[in-house]
Amino acid sequence: MRQLFNYLKKIFPTLLWTAFFLGIFALVCFLYDVPVQPAVYAAQVALVFGALAVMIGFFRFRRKSMELEKIREDIVLAEELPEPEDSVEEVYQDMVRVLRQKMAEMEEKDRSSYREMIEYYTLWAHQIKTPIAAMRLLLQQEDSDRNRELLSELFKIEQYVLMVLQYLRLESESSDLVLKTQNLDDIIRQAVKKYAPLFIRKKLTLVYEPVNCQVLTDEKWLEFVLEQILSNAIKYTKRGSVAVYMDDREEKTLVIADTGIGIAAEDVPRVFEKGFTGYNGRYDKRSTGIGLYLCRRVLNRLSHTIRIESEPGQGTRVYINLDTVNLQP
């Protein structure tokens, strides 16, 4: 029905002119006293052929509209447009082809610039590891409060560099996922061991007992997620504890809970947005709003899910469901 309305709208001026000329024909027949029967017969023949022309034109219009609709659904892959019906339409199609060519050139230029940027930052992230390692060796030569403080800050720098590398890997077209059945306790222990100095420095208690759970996941990426969550828990917990345990209510759901400052209720729905820092970000000027965003992206690739429950002043609980219900090969 919509196509019929559009077609009638297109040919409406032609129909008006046809009606105008039919009126002139009838007026001439009346003025020259032409018998009614031949005039009516001529009008009927004209109307029949006119109706046939309208029907044929509508079917051609409908077929062409369907072709254009199909092209619009996949305009990137569409190579050929329908045959133009007149010179004006041919000019428009030439303009479309020129625009498509220019768009393809711009996209290729953007892809090339993006690849160069990724290569540069990847090279930078790898090169900066050398001076970081050298600084760590120098600081470890003397055990003092000052050196322990500097080692703690150096560890944060290493984690930020790791975050950059993981971000670049997520943005790249290839993926280095290696999915295997893993012992969850081994992954948790590796993450906890890395952050043990920060637990000791801030005098926080770690509450953890083996979870005895096997999960289908990527060890490296899941460990990265756990490290980011532990980092946030330590950063926003001044005193108390951080607990790691399995949720009794949900199968294969790991919980990381802290007794920190918590998250404002209005911020909880947005904590996984890229660059969102919320109230806590204004409290801690160093917050980037990238960590939890990367966590959700990584877990989505692994077909895991993540959600957060929190109350200001009461702490935060992060739930990671480790089922792989929608895993794509």
Side-chain angles (χ1 to χ4, degrees), residues 73-293:
E73 291 175 1
D74 200 356
I75 195 168
V76 176
L77 299 178
E79 294 294 335
E80 294 297 332
L81 294 170
E83 288 294 326
E85 295 183 356
D86 50 46
S87 59
V88 175
E89 188 172 338
E90 186 175 358
V91 171
Y92 277 116
Q93 290 194 8
D94 288 338
M95 292 172 60
V96 170
R97 292 187 183 94
V98 171
L99 290 173
R100 179 186 292 169
Q101 182 179 356
K102 290 186 177 296
M103 184 180 69
E105 292 174 356
M106 292 176 62
E107 287 179 348
E108 179 57 32
K109 184 178 179 180
D110 288 342
R111 281 195 294 266
S112 178
S113 299
Y114 179 75
R115 284 194 297 268
E116 290 179 1
M117 182 189 68
I118 293 294
E119 290 172 0
Y120 170 76
Y121 283 110
T122 302
L123 179 63
W124 173 86
H126 283 290
Q127 287 181 332
I128 203 172
K129 288 182 178 181
T130 302
I132 289 175
M135 291 170 64
R136 178 174 294 280
L137 289 174
L138 292 173
L139 292 172
Q140 288 175 343
Q141 290 179 0
E142 180 182 347
D143 187 15
S144 63
D145 292 339
R146 180 174 177 274
N147 279 14
R148 283 195 291 270
E149 184 75 18
L150 291 174
L151 282 170
S152 175
E153 295 302 317
L154 187 62
F155 173 77
K156 294 177 184 177
I157 295 175
E158 286 181 311
Q159 294 307 109
Y160 286 135
V161 172
L162 175 62
M163 186 184 297
V164 170
L165 278 174
Q166 301 298 61
Y167 183 82
L168 294 174
R169 287 167 181 162
L170 277 176
E171 294 295 325
S172 66
E173 297 177 355
S174 61
S175 174
D176 63 344
L177 292 180
V178 179
L179 297 172
K180 293 182 181 179
T181 301
Q182 305 284 353
N183 186 342
L184 185 57
D185 283 308
D186 292 340
I187 302 176
I188 296 173
R189 289 192 186 100
Q190 291 176 30
V192 168
K193 181 179 179 181
K194 186 176 291 186
Y195 280 86
L198 293 184
F199 276 103
I200 296 171
R201 178 171 171 271
K202 295 194 69 172
K203 298 179 181 179
L204 298 177
T205 303
L206 174 66
V207 181
Y208 165 66
E209 293 183 1
V211 297
N212 299 318
C213 181
Q214 301 290 320
V215 294
L216 178 62
T217 189
D218 181 282
E219 179 182 9
K220 181 184 69 176
W221 284 102
L222 183 58
E223 183 181 345
F224 168 76
V225 171
L226 297 183
E227 289 174 2
Q228 291 302 311
I229 297 172
L230 285 173
S231 174
N232 285 346
I234 296 172
K235 181 191 300 183
Y236 296 112
T237 304
K238 292 184 177 180
R239 62 181 64 88
S241 63
V242 176
V244 182
Y245 57 91
M246 295 299 288
D247 190 0
D248 296 332
R249 299 169 299 174
E250 299 182 33
E251 185 179 359
K252 285 191 177 182
T253 298
L254 183 69
V255 183
I256 300 178
D258 63 61
T259 58
I261 62 176
I263 303 173
E266 63 271 20
D267 289 345
V268 171
R270 300 187 60 193
V271 293
F272 297 108
E273 293 180 10
K274 184 178 182 180
F276 180 77
T277 58
Y279 175 81
N280 290 349
R282 292 186 289 273
Y283 171 79
D284 182 0
K285 305 300 183 183
R286 297 167 299 177
S287 180
T288 61
I290 296 296
L292 288 177
Y293 163 75

Side-chain angles (χ1 to χ4, degrees), residues 7-22 50 54:
Y7 176 67
L8 292 176
K9 184 178 178 180
K10 178 184 177 182
I11 66 171
F12 183 72
T14 303
L15 294 177
L16 282 180
W17 280 108
T18 302
F20 175 73
F21 288 125
L22 285 175
V54 169

